[in-house]
Amino acid sequence: MVLERLLVMPETIFLNFVDMDLGAITKYSALHAKPSGLILQYGTAGFRTKAEHLDHVMFRMGLLAVLRSKQTKSTIGVMVTASHNPEEDNGVKLVDPLGEMLAPSWEEHATCLANAEEQDMQRVLIDISEKEAVNLQQDAFVVIGRDTRPSSEKLSQSVIDGVTVLGGQFHDYGLLTTPQLHYMVYCRNTGGRYGKATIEGYYQKLSKAFVELTKQASCSGDEYRSLKVDCANGIGALKLREMEHYFSQGLSVQLFNDGSKGKLNHLCGADFVKSHQKPPQGMEIKSNERCCSFDGDADRIVYYYHDADGHFHLIDGDKIATLISSFLKELLVEIGESLNIGVVQTAYANGSSTRYLEEVMKVPVYCTKTGVKHLHHKAQEFDIGVYFEANGHGTALFSTAVEMKIKQSAEQLEDKKRKAAKMLENIIDLFNQAAGDAISDMLVIEAILALKGLTVQQWDGLYTDLPNRQLKVQVADRRVISTTNAERQAVTPPGLQEAINDLVKKYKLSRAFVRPSGTEDVVRVYAEADSQESADHLAHEVSLAVFQLAGGIGERPQPASDGEGTPH
């Protein structure tokens, strides 16, 4: 069938496919055979499942990366990781030319290619090449990184097999955090203007900016300069250990869950701390000590501390975005620049953070659908766009025009304004604008706290979170739920949104929304209100409405109790 298609193609298109060694692809593909009946979906986080089911996917994503590289005439990244998932899982995602997520049309190609049966592989590759007008004579270059999971090295070799069989060149960076691979791709595609595409280049760029910034902090002693870091037994520990001597004059870090014992993401890491509202295992916390947790691939960060009474306080992505955007706004006011700054959140952002930003800091806030690609895309619309998900994944983006303007201001303005412009210039260098990056975000936060002379409690006290609760409801088919207005309103099934509206009216300062999970047949429920008891009741009542109207299966939702869901 493939041969028939090639024979009826116009000569120019036929010659394009002569370079694709279909025989070699078939031969290699058989060595990375797809388990029959396995269907996977490329989502925001790429592909994720049990590691033993991923060999064929890795090989095929190597093929796809070569096609994407040829089409964009750029370096493409392939990252082997399952982020905050358990150690036995793994996953893969592709990184587009400027360090962004893969374009949506290519996510569809990824899903199609990963799920193709062996006999259809050639046809699917030709389809993608035709549809996307890929010039197969074009050179291709792919960079590869992996996390510390036991399965990652072998799986990244399968990616390399896919790259080489299609004639692509590659560079294997080996062990990297996910944001570091995004950085490498961005550097390589901007001719080194963004930075040097080596691990030393990454360390030096961020550390130089951090040390310059913290030199200007007026606080004495080291009370603000010591930080406990939970590395989730992941790649973050290796990279932070390599990097710490570059910035040690500005910050002393003490690493916990560094991978020397303990399993990746098990009872530790940003996701565990946020979900369970308690410190990770293996970390002793004295009162008012500043602590933070990375996730397994170091692209998320949350902060926390114990107060004098021993109560745990979480500082999540909402408060991180607030600290950063407030500081940026203050610097802009000082310099006298009226640049357009915006904060991008999802429906999961706590209502108190939105109110504080809009009403106190006068920073406009925008809401998008859940998923980093949506936030990143929206943040690009501003001169300065700050985005963070509540889970601690985020960064700040600065337009090229802003970078040029600030650089000029740092050279031309009089003393006080020049100092503020220089700070902003260093902040721009300190952010990994290619992706949310726990190491980069940590250094930004530490620099801002030092410059403003803020303790962790003062930061936490900027506003008080509204109590909230997250629950999951099992359903036969999550697709029965569709949403609009950045996932804050349910369109289907009929009657569900009306039921939610009626329930919300019963409680003060309340809101609730439901959305289908991107990965499993569950519906996620979020509720917030003026008290934890009200938030719990509202979440439970909304869960029952979902169960009744959206085809719930198994046991009826039970009232929330401590340890379930995600209160703040």
Side-chain angles (χ1 to χ4, degrees), residues 224-245:
Y224 300 114
R225 306 297 179 81
S226 167
L227 177 68
K228 288 185 167 176
V229 186
D230 156 34
C231 297
N233 288 315
I235 183 69
L238 296 182
K239 296 302 163 186
L240 202 49
R241 190 147 276 151
E242 286 174 9
M243 187 181 182
E244 63 181 321
H245 72 273

Side-chain angles (χ1 to χ4, degrees), residues 112-148:
C112 199
L113 187 58
N115 294 324
E117 298 304 333
E118 288 300 323
Q119 66 273 17
D120 299 325
M121 273 275 293
Q122 295 182 359
R123 178 185 58 75
V124 172
L125 285 169
I126 289 170
D127 277 352
I128 295 168
S129 304
E130 273 192 300
K131 212 173 277 179
E132 299 290 350
V134 178
N135 174 8
L136 294 169
Q137 276 85 46
Q138 175 69 39
D139 290 340
F141 198 85
V142 177
V143 291
I144 299 149
R146 66 175 193 271
D147 71 10
T148 54

